[in-house]
Amino acid sequence: SRLWATTLAIGPPMALGVQTAAALYRWCPAPSEIQAVVPRSRRGTRLPNTSIRRALPDTAGLHRRDGLPVTSPALTLSHCLRFLPMATARDILDRSQQASGPPLAAVAQQLQPRGPGTAQARQLLSAADGSHFAAERLADPRGDRFENAVEVVQGSQIARDLDELHRAVQALLNCRGVE
């Protein structure tokens, strides 16, 4: 297959990564271009229809999926959140969590302090655990922004806590006759 041919052509150390690895974990469809990662110290490999990133930590434990070397689930998701367009990254994040993918804390640990896409990845992770929208929901207890902030992952503890707080504030406002 193309994945095996790419793996052999690049040679170790390498791993299939980003959206290609996400597809192998069944979090998204396979991309048209194979995406691989190599250690940051490696230079010079080019293949047609293949995107190669120097983003594989030299000490990373490689995983195997269908016999192929892939980045770990947490590193795969971290790379997807950093390197893919926001909408695609959000879809992969949602599907990974529905499929009992890596804990968000493990994904956050894979992020570098700075670098391309790190801000986007942090934004997506905070939205996934609900903390990004907590301030918005608390800032307007009457609910004007409540409907717009529903990007909080349904069923998360913070979403339940905020819903309970919202109901309590609504009840208080209703007792005082505030509409």
Coordinates of all heavy atoms in Angstrom, one line a residue, residues 46 81 109:
R46 N 12.3 14.0 0.7 CA 11.1 14.5 -0.1 C 10.6 13.4 -0.9 O 11.3 12.6 -1.5 CB 11.6 15.6 -1.0 CG 11.9 16.9 -0.3 CD 12.2 18.0 -1.2 NE 12.6 19.1 -0.4 CZ 12.9 20.3 -0.8 NH1 12.8 20.5 -2.1 NH2 13.3 21.3 -0.1
L81 N -4.3 19.4 16.0 CA -4.8 20.6 16.6 C -3.9 21.8 16.2 O -4.3 22.9 16.0 CB -4.9 20.6 18.1 CG -5.9 19.6 18.6 CD1 -5.9 19.6 20.2 CD2 -7.3 19.7 18.1
Q109 N 0.1 18.1 27.2 CA 1.5 17.9 27.6 C 2.4 17.8 26.4 O 3.6 18.1 26.4 CB 1.6 16.7 28.4 CG 1.1 16.9 29.9 CD 1.2 15.6 30.7 OE1 1.4 14.5 30.1 NE2 1.1 15.7 32.0

